Amino acid sequence: MGTMRNRRNGTLEGSKVLYSSISRSTDVSYNDSDLVTFIQEHFKKRECVFFTRDAKSMDNLCKCGYSKSQHIEGTQINNTEKWSYRKHTKEFPTDAFGDIQFENLGKRGKYIRLSYDTDSEMLYDLMTQHWHLKNPNLVISVTGGAKNFSLKPRMRKIFSRLIYIAHSKGAWIFTGGTHYGLMKYIGEVVRDNTISRSSEENVVAIGIAAWGMISNRDSLIRSSDTEGYYSAHYIMDDLKRDPLYCLDNNHTHLLLVDNGTHGHPAIEAKLRTQLEKYISERVIPDSNYGGKIPIVCFTQGGGKETLKAINVAIKSKIPCIVVEGSGQIADVIASLVEAEGTLASSSVKERLLRYLPHTVSRLTEEETESWIRWIKEILENPHLLTVIKIEEAGDEIVSNAISFALYKAFSTNEQDKDNWNGQLQLLLEWNQLDLASDEIFTNDRHWESADLQDVMFIALIKDRPKFVRLFLENGLNLRKFLSKEVLTELFSNNFSSLVFKNLQIAKNSYNDALLTFVWKMVEDFRRGIKKEDKNGKDETEIRLLDESSTTRHPLQALFIWSVLQNKKELSKVIWEQTRGCTLAALGASKLLKSLAKVKNDINAAGESEELANEYETRAVELFSECYSSDEELAEQLLTYSCEAWGGSNCLELAVEAKDQQFIAQPGVQNFLSKQWYGEISRDTKNWKIILCLFLFPLIGCGFISFRKKPVERSKKLLLYYASFFTSPFVVFSWNVIFYVVFLLLFAYVLLMDFQNEPTMLELILYVLVFILLCDEVRQWYMNGNKYFSDPWNIMDTLGIFYFITGIIFRLRSSNESSWYSGRVIFCLDYIIFTLRLIHIFTVSRNLGPKIIMLQRMMIDVFFFLFLFGVWMVAFGVARQGILRKNEYRWEWIFRSVIYEPYLAMFGQYPDDIDGTTYSFDRCTFSGNESKPLCVELDANNHPRFPEWITIPLVCIYMLSTNILLVNLLVAMFGYTVGSVQENNDQVWKFQRYFLVQEYGSRLTIPFPFVILAYIYMVMKKCFKCCCKKECKEPSICCSKYEDNETLAWEAVMKENYLVKINSKANDSSEEMAHRFRQLDMKLNDLKGLLKEIANKIK
C-alpha cells in the first residue's frame, strides 16, 4: 500500500499537479486595463536616439534605416562612434499590441511589439498567463526557405503531417511569421487543418518576425488616446514590391522583435533562440520528457540564416530534423551526415557548390570559411541530426522522425542518458514500440515490476496495447500493479462520462445481474475518489470495496474498464491475462451488445457490436480447443461462475447476450443433451422412453440403457428407477401427456358437461389449474423479474388469470347472464391453454425454428397493421362521410369505418357505393332498426353520392391494400422466414437451451402429483421461518480446488489457442509475401520481354 501511495504521488498525483499547473495558466483573468498596464510596464520598444548617417545610403538615412525626420524629437547627431543598437537606441513602453484583424479575411490573432532583449520568462508568462495559451507539450521550430519559392507537393504533405502532430500533441509551432516563403505555406497548412475545428482546438502557430521588416506596420501602432485593449486592422498587400514583408494571416500569435532598426532582416533570431532555450529548460512536474518541454528544429531548404539557426540549435542541444531533397542547405547537411570517413573542408565546400552554386559564388573567402565552420560544428553532433527523405514522405515518416530525434537527444544527454524511465515515457508518448524494444528492453538490463508501473499506467490511459504487452513480457506483475488506488483512478478520472451514462441507461432498461453489478462497481469507484478528495487533508484511509469482488478480481475489473470504452486491442491484451477467459469473453460480448442497444451514435454502436462478435468468436474457438482436449473439464467451464461477472456462468452469459454461435457448438449441445436425458444414455430411442412411462417394469429389464452402471446389484433396480424418473426428458414427457389430458378434460367439460353447478370433472379441472398456478408461482419465486421476460410465462399467467375470472362469474349460477359470461370466458381461456401447447414443439429440430418464425412474423404483422390502419381509416371515414349523413350509432360507425374496409382487404366488395345495385331494403332511414343507415337521397329520392368518386375510390383502396400492402406483408414474411432458415439449426439449438433449463430446474415428481411436493416445500419454509436463522458464510469464487484446477487447465488451452492464431497469421503473411515475390518475378520477366521486343523493333 505504501508503494502504491508513493507511486500515486509520482504519477497519479503528479498528473494532477501538471494539470493544475496547466490550468493555472488559463485561469488567470485580467480585465483589459490591467492587461494594458502589465504589457506597458514589462514590454518595451526601441527607438534610435542618435542619428548616424549611413555613407552608403543615397537618401541620407541613418544606420538604423530610418530618415532623420522619422527619428523621435530630441535625437542627437553622431558622427564619431560606430552605430550600435545598445548605445544608440533607447527603450520606451511598447505602443503596438492587442488583437490583429486581417482585412477581408476575418482572421484574428494576437500580436505585440517587443524589444530585442526582452526577458524570455516574462514573454512566456505573457503567452501562457495573459494570452491564455496552455503550456506546450512540444515546441516545433520550423526554419528554412525565407524567400518565395514553389513548395513541392511532397513537402506540403510533410508539413500537413507536422501540423497534425502539433494539434494532437498540444505543441507550439515557431516560424518567421510572414506571408512569404516557407512561413506562407506553413500558414496555409495551418489554415487547412483547422478550418473545421473550434477556436479552442486551433493549432498554436507563433510567428516571430523583425518589426523593422514588416510592411504596413503603422496600422499596428496604438493611437495615444486609445484606452483598453486595441484591435488593429491590418491590410495584406501581396502586390507591393519592396524589401518589407506582410504578416501572415494564418498565424495565431505574432511576436514582432524591435531593435530600433528598419529594413534589417534576421534581427529576431536571438530572441527566438533565447525563448526556445528558456522553454526547453523549464521544469514541468511529471512530464513525459524527463520533466522538460522538448523542442525540435525542423529544417527544409534555407540559406545562411537557416544554417545559423541549425548551428545555434545544435549548440543548445536541440535536435534537428533535416528534409533531404528540399534543396539548399538542408541537402548539404543531409548529404554530409550520410557521408563516411572524416569530414574535410574540401568535401563541405564541394557540397556547398553543388547545392548552393549561386549563393556560394557571391561569398568572400572569409564568409565561405564561416559557412564551413558552422557546418562542421553541426556535424560534430550527429546524434542530434535526423534526416528524412522527401521522396519517402508518408503518414508516419514525420512522427517517427520527431520521436527518433527527441529520443536520440534525450538518451545522449549527460543528465538524462541513465534515466531509462524518462526515455521509456518519451517513446510511449510517441508510440515507438520498435525503438523501445531494441534500445531499452535489452538482454543486459533487468526490469523490476515496480519500475514499470508508472509507464504501465500511462500506456493504459493512452491506449497503447503493444506497449502493455511489452511491459508484461518484461516482468510487470499486473495483479500487483492493479491496486485499489489504480483502479479507482482508472474508473474515476479516466472513464468516459458518456459510457457511464449509457451503462446506467442499459442497467435501467434491462436490469440483469451483470449490468447491475458492473454499474455498481463503476459507481463505487467514482464515489470512492470523491470521498478521498474530501478527506485528503485528514489523510484518512478510504477503504473502497474492501471485500468486494473487484479487489479479489482486479484483472477482470481492468478488462471491464477497457471493454466498456471500446478499447479493442487493449482489451484483447488484458483478456489474455485474465483467469476464466471463456467466461470473460462471453461477459464482454454481453456488455458490448447491451451498450450497443442504448448508444445514439450508430457508428459507435456498430463498433460495439463488432467487438462483441469478436469476443463471441474467441469464446467459441477457445471452448472448442478445450473441448477437443478434455470434454469433462470443458463442461466444468460451462458451469463455472465468478462474482466478477455478476455470479453468472458461461451458459447464462451466452444466453443473455444471445450468442447463438456459442450455444450451438457441439460441445455445448452435448452438455445440454446430457442434462436433458440425465442418467439415461443418449443412445436410447425416444419411443422406448415414452413406452416405459406406461410400462414401468421395462425400466429394470434392460430395455432402457443408462450411462452409469451400479456396482451393487441390490441397489441396481432402485437406482435405475430413480435415474429414469429424474430425467428432465421424462419430466417433460410426463408434463406433455398430462397437459394433453388436461386439455381434453377441459374440452369435455365445455362441450358436454357444463352444468349450473360444478360437476366432479369440473372440480378436478379446477384442481389441475390450481396445480398449474402453484408451478407458475414457484417459477416466479425462483426467477424473479426474469420470469416475465419469457412470453410463454406471460401466456401462462393470462390463462390462469382468465380461468379464475371465469370461475368467479361461473359460480354465480343464480344469475343467468353471469353464468353465461363465465362459460364464454372459459371458452376464450381454452384458446390460450391450447396455444400454450405450441411451446412443446421447441424440442423438435424441424418444428422448433417454425415457432421462432411465427413469433417474428407477429412483429411483422404489427408493422403491417399500422400501415394498413392508415389506409383503412382514411378510406372508411371518407366513404362514410360521402354516403351517409349524421350517423349517431357508434357500433355502426365502427362497422362502416373499420370492419367493412377490413373485409374489403380480403376481397369482399362493398355493395353500397354503386347506385345501380343499391337496395333500400337492407338499410334504415330512421336509425331505429338494426340496419345500417341509408345513403343520403336527393330531391328525386335517388342516391346523392356521385359514382365517379365512390367507385374509383374503392378501386384505388382495393388496389393499394389487396395488391401493394398484402404483397408487402408476404415479402416481409418471406424475408423473416429466410433469415431464420439460414440459421435454422443454430436457432433451434439456441431455443433448445431454454427448454432444457426449464425442465432441468423443475421438480422431478410427475404432474399432477407434484402438488404434494409443493405442500411439503411450503411447510418446510414456514418451519424455517419459525426457527432460528442460520447465517451461512458466502462462498468465495475461485477458492475451490476444482475451480483452480479447471482455470489452470483453461489457461494452458488458452496459450495453445493463441499460438494457433499467431501461427495462422504468420502463415497468411508468408503466403502473401510469397505471392508478392511471384508477382515481382513475373513483372521482371515481362520487363525483359518488353526490352527484347523493343530491341527487335529497333
Side-chain angles (χ1 to χ4, degrees):
M1 182 66 72
T3 305
M4 186 59 230
R5 191 178 294 111
N6 293 335
R7 201 189 75 78
R8 282 198 66 192
N9 291 334
T11 298
L12 306 184
E13 294 297 330
S15 63
K16 295 180 181 179
V17 173
L18 173 60
Y19 178 77
S20 62
S21 67
I22 293 174
S23 60
R24 201 166 40 240
S25 66
T26 61
D27 289 341
V28 178
S29 59
Y30 294 85
N31 56 41
D32 291 345
S33 59
D34 292 338
L35 181 57
V36 170
T37 303
F38 171 79
I39 291 177
Q40 290 180 338
E41 286 180 357
H42 297 90
F43 293 91
K44 310 296 181 182
K45 68 175 183 177
R46 281 192 173 270
E47 296 281 358
C48 180
V49 293
F50 287 90
F51 182 81
T52 305
R53 186 178 181 280
D54 187 359
K56 298 179 181 180
S57 173
M58 302 294 294
D59 300 324
N60 194 29
L61 298 179
C62 176
K63 286 281 188 179
C64 68
Y66 290 103
S67 63
K68 189 173 183 180
S69 61
Q70 292 176 312
H71 283 62
I72 63 174
E73 186 177 347
T75 301
Q76 303 178 26
I77 305 298
N78 173 36
N79 294 322
T80 57
E81 292 183 328
K82 183 178 179 181
W83 190 90
S84 168
Y85 89 93
R86 292 186 181 276
K87 290 184 178 181
H88 302 108
T89 63
K90 186 178 180 181
E91 287 187 343
F92 297 91
T94 183
D95 58 356
F97 60 90
D99 291 336
I100 182 170
Q101 176 80 38
F102 291 90
E103 291 292 334
N104 303 324
L105 295 171
K107 300 287 185 179
R108 295 182 67 91
K110 294 187 179 297
Y111 76 99
I112 186 172
R113 175 186 181 184
L114 65 165
S115 176
Y116 177 82
D117 48 6
T118 299
D119 181 57
S120 297
E121 182 178 2
M122 190 61 62
L123 178 56
Y124 186 81
D125 288 343
L126 170 69
M127 292 189 289
T128 55
Q129 295 188 9
H130 300 276
W131 282 355
H132 305 301
L133 291 179
K134 293 182 179 180
N135 286 317
N137 296 318
L138 172 69
V139 174
I140 303 174
S141 181
V142 183
T143 184
K147 296 182 179 180
N148 268 337
F149 63 95
S150 178
L151 190 68
K152 299 177 182 179
R154 289 183 180 272
M155 201 66 220
R156 178 177 285 274
K157 185 176 182 180
I158 290 177
F159 282 130
S160 178
R161 186 65 186 176
L162 189 70
I163 300 303
Y164 171 79
I165 292 171
H167 176 261
S168 61
K169 297 294 182 182
W172 290 359
I173 296 180
F174 285 171
T175 73
T178 59
H179 195 66
Y180 202 67
L182 176 64
M183 291 81 74
K184 173 183 177 181
Y185 294 116
I186 289 287
E188 291 176 352
V189 176
V190 169
R191 176 200 63 201
D192 296 341
N193 280 267
T194 58
I195 194 168
S196 62
R197 300 186 181 118
S198 62
S199 59
E200 291 80 4
E201 296 177 328
N202 280 346
V203 176
V204 178
I206 301 175
I208 305 177
W211 169 262
M213 292 298 297
I214 304 302
S215 64
N216 300 328
R217 60 180 179 267
D218 291 341
S219 61
L220 303 177
I221 299 176
R222 300 160 54 93
S223 58
S224 57
D225 58 348
T226 301
E227 295 182 1
Y229 214 56
Y230 177 67
S231 182
H233 294 270
Y234 185 80
I235 300 175
M236 295 177 59
D237 190 0
D238 292 337
L239 302 177
K240 188 176 181 180
R241 301 295 181 183
D242 61 19
L244 302 183
Y245 306 137
C246 293
L247 292 174
D248 184 69
N249 59 301
N250 292 308
H251 282 65
T252 58
H253 300 77
L254 296 166
L255 306 178
L256 308 179
V257 184
D258 183 18
N259 70 343
T261 64
H262 168 75
H264 291 202
I267 63 101
E268 77 281 0
K270 181 180 178 183
L271 183 137
R272 178 172 172 174
T273 301
Q274 291 175 345
L275 179 60
E276 291 173 356
K277 184 178 180 181
Y278 170 78
I279 293 175
S280 66
E281 293 176 352
R282 273 184 61 85
V283 177
I284 302 296
D286 201 48
S287 169
N288 289 337
Y289 305 97
K292 298 179 180 179
I293 301 174
I295 296 183
V296 62
C297 179
F298 198 90
T299 306
Q300 80 92 39
K304 178 182 177 181
E305 296 304 325
T306 300
L307 178 60
K308 291 171 67 176
I310 298 174
N311 182 271
V312 172
I314 294 296
K315 288 181 179 178
S316 301
K317 304 301 180 183
I318 295 176
C320 294
I321 298 173
V322 180
V323 182
E324 183 180 356
S326 59
Q328 299 183 316
I329 202 66
D331 283 358
V332 173
I333 295 176
S335 62
L336 291 171
V337 168
E338 298 173 355
E340 297 180 355
T342 57
L343 187 63
S345 299
S346 58
S347 300
V348 178
K349 188 171 184 179
E350 185 271 329
R351 298 296 201 288
L352 288 171
L353 290 172
R354 182 192 303 176
Y355 294 107
L356 294 162
H358 299 292
T359 303
V360 175
S361 62
R362 294 194 298 267
L363 296 178
T364 63
E365 189 67 27
E366 183 179 352
E367 290 175 330
T368 303
E369 290 298 323
S370 297
W371 282 47
I372 294 173
R373 185 180 73 255
W374 291 336
I375 293 174
K376 284 187 173 182
E377 289 174 353
I378 292 171
L379 296 173
E380 287 176 358
N381 297 277
H383 61 281
L384 296 176
L385 292 172
T386 302
V387 178
I388 60 175
K389 296 182 179 180
I390 192 172
E391 62 270 13
E392 297 177 356
D395 290 339
E396 299 299 328
I397 187 70
V398 178
S399 177
N400 293 338
I402 293 176
S403 59
F404 188 58
L406 293 174
Y407 174 73
K408 287 196 298 183
F410 195 103
S411 59
T412 55
N413 189 351
E414 289 295 329
Q415 298 178 350
D416 302 317
K417 66 180 182 179
D418 293 329
N419 184 4
W420 302 110
N421 195 44
Q423 296 176 33
L424 189 55
Q425 289 185 23
L426 187 149
L427 297 178
L428 176 60
E429 175 70 24
W430 289 89
N431 201 19
Q432 295 296 317
L433 180 73
D434 295 337
L435 204 56
S437 301
D438 298 338
E439 300 292 335
I440 296 181
F441 290 100
T442 56
N443 294 329
D444 58 342
R445 189 174 299 116
H446 177 70
W447 291 84
E448 297 292 339
S449 178
D451 299 334
L452 297 173
Q453 289 187 358
D454 291 346
V455 288
M456 181 64 171
F457 186 82
I458 298 173
L460 291 173
I461 294 175
K462 292 185 176 294
D463 194 11
R464 301 279 195 263
K466 294 182 179 179
F467 270 94
V468 171
R469 190 185 299 276
L470 181 66
F471 299 152
L472 292 171
E473 291 173 351
N474 284 273
L476 177 74
N477 189 318
L478 194 57
R479 184 171 290 275
K480 290 182 179 179
F481 164 72
L482 292 173
S483 62
K484 289 185 292 187
E485 287 83 356
V486 171
L487 291 173
T488 302
E489 187 72 20
L490 289 174
F491 277 98
S492 55
N493 296 333
N494 298 281
F495 192 78
S496 171
S497 57
L498 179 60
V499 173
F500 180 70
K501 182 179 178 181
N502 289 335
L503 181 63
Q504 187 172 11
I505 294 173
K507 187 263 297 184
N508 295 333
S509 301
Y510 305 110
N511 196 27
D512 61 64
L514 179 59
L515 287 171
T516 303
F517 168 79
V518 172
W519 180 83
K520 285 182 178 179
M521 179 186 70
V522 177
E523 176 67 14
D524 286 344
F525 278 128
R526 294 168 73 90
R527 189 186 300 117
I529 197 67
K530 292 177 183 177
K531 290 180 181 178
E532 188 173 315
D533 291 340
K534 290 180 181 178
N535 300 332
K537 294 180 181 179
D538 302 331
E539 296 184 0
T540 56
E541 189 69 27
I542 301 296
R543 300 190 66 189
L544 178 66
L545 303 171
D546 285 336
E547 298 299 328
S548 71
S549 58
T550 53
T551 55
R552 289 192 292 270
H553 305 281
L555 296 181
Q556 282 82 348
L558 180 63
F559 178 61
I560 291 173
W561 174 83
S562 60
V563 165
L564 290 177
Q565 300 187 99
N566 263 21
K567 296 180 183 291
K568 183 176 180 180
E569 298 301 326
L570 179 62
S571 64
K572 291 179 181 178
V573 174
I574 300 171
W575 175 79
E576 295 173 6
Q577 307 299 318
T578 59
R579 299 184 72 194
C581 294
T582 307
L583 182 64
L586 293 170
S589 177
K590 168 69 174 67
L591 285 175
L592 290 166
K593 288 183 178 180
S594 299
L595 289 176
K597 294 177 183 177
V598 299
K599 287 183 177 179
N600 295 324
D601 188 346
I602 297 177
N603 294 329
E607 291 176 0
S608 296
E609 284 282 357
E610 181 182 356
L611 186 55
N613 293 333
E614 287 189 25
Y615 275 112
E616 180 186 359
T617 303
R618 286 204 165 202
V620 171
E621 293 176 350
L622 177 56
F623 183 77
S624 298
E625 181 75 20
C626 295
Y627 193 77
S628 62
S629 176
D630 191 314
E631 294 184 8
E632 184 177 351
L633 288 175
E635 289 174 355
Q636 291 180 18
L637 283 177
L638 294 176
T639 56
Y640 161 74
S641 61
C642 180
E643 59 188 354
W645 296 103
S648 302
N649 58 37
C650 291
L651 288 174
E652 292 170 347
L653 289 179
V655 170
E656 290 176 1
K658 296 184 179 179
D659 291 338
Q660 295 185 5
Q661 186 182 356
F662 183 84
I663 298 295
Q665 59 181 319
V668 177
Q669 287 300 306
N670 289 337
F671 175 76
L672 292 177
S673 296
K674 288 182 180 179
Q675 283 192 325
W676 181 238
Y677 287 99
E679 294 300 326
I680 300 175
S681 176
R682 293 169 54 194
D683 299 331
T684 306
K685 300 296 182 181
N686 289 343
W687 66 268
K688 290 185 176 182
I689 299 176
I690 295 174
L691 182 61
C692 289
L693 291 175
F694 302 98
L695 302 176
F696 299 153
L698 294 176
I699 299 173
C701 299
F703 191 69
I704 301 293
S705 58
F706 294 88
R707 287 191 293 147
K708 294 181 179 180
K709 304 295 182 183
V711 178
E712 299 181 17
R713 292 187 177 182
S714 58
K715 297 181 179 180
K716 179 179 178 181
L717 190 61
L718 180 62
L719 183 61
Y720 279 171
Y721 275 100
S723 300
F724 180 82
F725 285 107
T726 55
S727 169
F729 177 73
V730 173
V731 175
F732 169 77
S733 302
W734 270 113
N735 277 275
V736 171
I737 292 171
F738 280 100
Y739 194 79
V740 172
V741 172
F742 162 73
L743 291 177
L744 293 175
L745 178 61
F746 199 174
Y748 177 81
V749 170
L750 288 176
L751 299 177
M752 303 177 65
D753 195 24
F754 199 83
Q755 308 298 331
N756 287 335
E757 297 297 331
T759 62
M760 181 57 66
L761 291 178
E762 188 174 349
L763 292 176
I764 293 174
L765 184 65
Y766 293 170
V767 173
L768 294 178
V769 173
F770 176 73
I771 297 173
L772 291 176
L773 174 62
C774 294
D775 187 63
E776 295 302 319
V777 170
R778 184 193 63 84
Q779 292 186 48
W780 174 78
Y781 179 78
M782 293 181 62
N783 298 326
N785 293 332
K786 289 184 179 180
Y787 172 82
F788 293 102
S789 62
D790 188 351
W792 297 111
N793 289 335
I794 297 176
M795 184 176 288
D796 289 336
T797 305
L798 288 176
I800 295 172
F801 172 77
Y802 284 136
F803 193 89
I804 295 173
T805 306
I807 292 176
I808 294 173
F809 280 92
R810 185 255 183 279
L811 292 180
R812 297 174 63 187
S813 57
S814 58
N815 189 334
E816 185 71 21
S817 60
S818 176
W819 177 85
Y820 180 74
S821 299
R823 195 178 74 183
V824 171
I825 294 174
F826 278 152
C827 293
L828 297 177
D829 195 34
Y830 184 79
I831 298 175
I832 298 176
F833 278 116
T834 305
L835 291 177
R836 183 64 176 84
L837 196 62
I838 296 176
H839 182 48
I840 68 171
F841 298 141
T842 307
V843 76
S844 171
R845 182 184 292 269
N846 295 321
L847 292 178
K850 304 301 184 292
I851 299 173
I852 307 300
M853 294 177 189
L854 286 174
Q855 291 175 346
R856 296 187 181 180
M857 284 192 290
M858 289 297 294
I859 300 174
D860 294 340
V861 168
F862 171 78
F863 289 107
F864 168 78
L865 288 178
F866 174 78
L867 294 175
F868 173 67
V870 174
W871 283 93
M872 182 174 59
V873 172
F875 170 74
V877 172
R879 170 175 167 269
Q880 177 72 2
I882 292 172
L883 297 179
R884 299 172 178 87
K885 179 182 179 182
N886 298 336
E887 170 65 85
Y888 297 103
R889 296 173 299 173
W890 284 103
E891 65 275 14
W892 286 102
I893 291 177
F894 175 80
R895 291 173 68 93
S896 182
V897 174
I898 304 296
Y899 179 61
E900 292 179 4
Y902 175 76
L903 294 179
M905 183 182 69
F906 298 99
Q908 182 173 330
Y909 184 81
D911 57 358
D912 56 356
I913 61 167
D914 191 349
T916 60
T917 61
Y918 188 79
S919 175
F920 289 98
D921 296 334
R922 291 182 293 176
C923 65
T924 177
F925 287 98
S926 61
N928 296 327
E929 302 177 62
S930 182
K931 295 180 181 180
L933 193 67
C934 291
V935 299
E936 190 175 355
L937 303 178
D938 58 12
N940 299 321
N941 289 328
H942 294 144
R944 184 185 294 276
F945 62 84
E947 296 180 3
W948 57 270
I949 288 181
T950 55
I951 294 178
L953 194 64
V954 172
C955 293
I956 294 173
Y957 171 73
M958 297 189 72
L959 174 69
S960 303
T961 56
N962 293 30
I963 297 178
L964 294 181
L965 291 181
V966 172
N967 280 283
L968 173 63
L969 180 63
V970 173
M972 293 168 65
F973 285 168
Y975 175 78
T976 300
V977 171
S979 61
V980 176
Q981 198 69 33
E982 288 178 0
N983 304 312
N984 190 20
D985 189 62
Q986 194 175 93
V987 169
W988 172 76
K989 290 177 178 178
F990 184 74
Q991 293 299 320
R992 178 173 176 250
Y993 166 83
F994 296 100
L995 190 67
V996 174
Q997 290 301 111
E998 178 182 350
Y999 284 93
S1001 61
R1002 286 197 176 195
L1003 298 177
T1004 56
I1005 301 175
F1007 186 90
F1009 306 109
V1010 70
I1011 186 63
L1012 301 176
Y1014 293 150
I1015 296 172
Y1016 169 76
M1017 292 170 62
V1018 171
M1019 293 177 63
K1020 184 178 179 182
K1021 188 73 175 176
C1022 295
F1023 180 74
K1024 280 188 176 181
C1025 292
C1026 297
C1027 297
K1028 212 174 190 181
K1029 293 185 179 179
E1030 297 180 2
C1031 296
K1032 294 184 179 180
E1033 295 184 2
S1035 60
I1036 300 175
C1037 71
C1038 305
S1039 61
K1040 299 178 182 178
Y1041 175 77
E1042 296 82 0
D1043 288 344
N1044 288 325
E1045 182 182 16
T1046 304
L1047 294 178
W1049 172 78
E1050 184 197 28
V1052 175
M1053 293 298 102
K1054 175 197 65 181
E1055 295 299 327
N1056 296 341
Y1057 164 68
L1058 294 175
V1059 169
K1060 288 183 179 181
I1061 290 180
N1062 295 330
S1063 299
K1064 289 180 181 179
N1066 294 332
D1067 292 342
S1068 60
S1069 300
E1070 292 176 1
E1071 183 181 356
M1072 189 65 68
H1074 178 66
R1075 290 181 179 179
F1076 276 121
R1077 285 194 296 269
Q1078 288 181 332
L1079 182 60
D1080 187 51
M1081 292 173 61
K1082 291 180 180 179
L1083 289 175
N1084 291 332
D1085 294 341
L1086 183 60
K1087 287 180 181 179
L1089 182 61
L1090 291 174
K1091 286 182 180 180
E1092 291 180 6
I1093 294 173
N1095 293 331
K1096 289 181 180 179
I1097 293 174
K1098 291 179 180 179

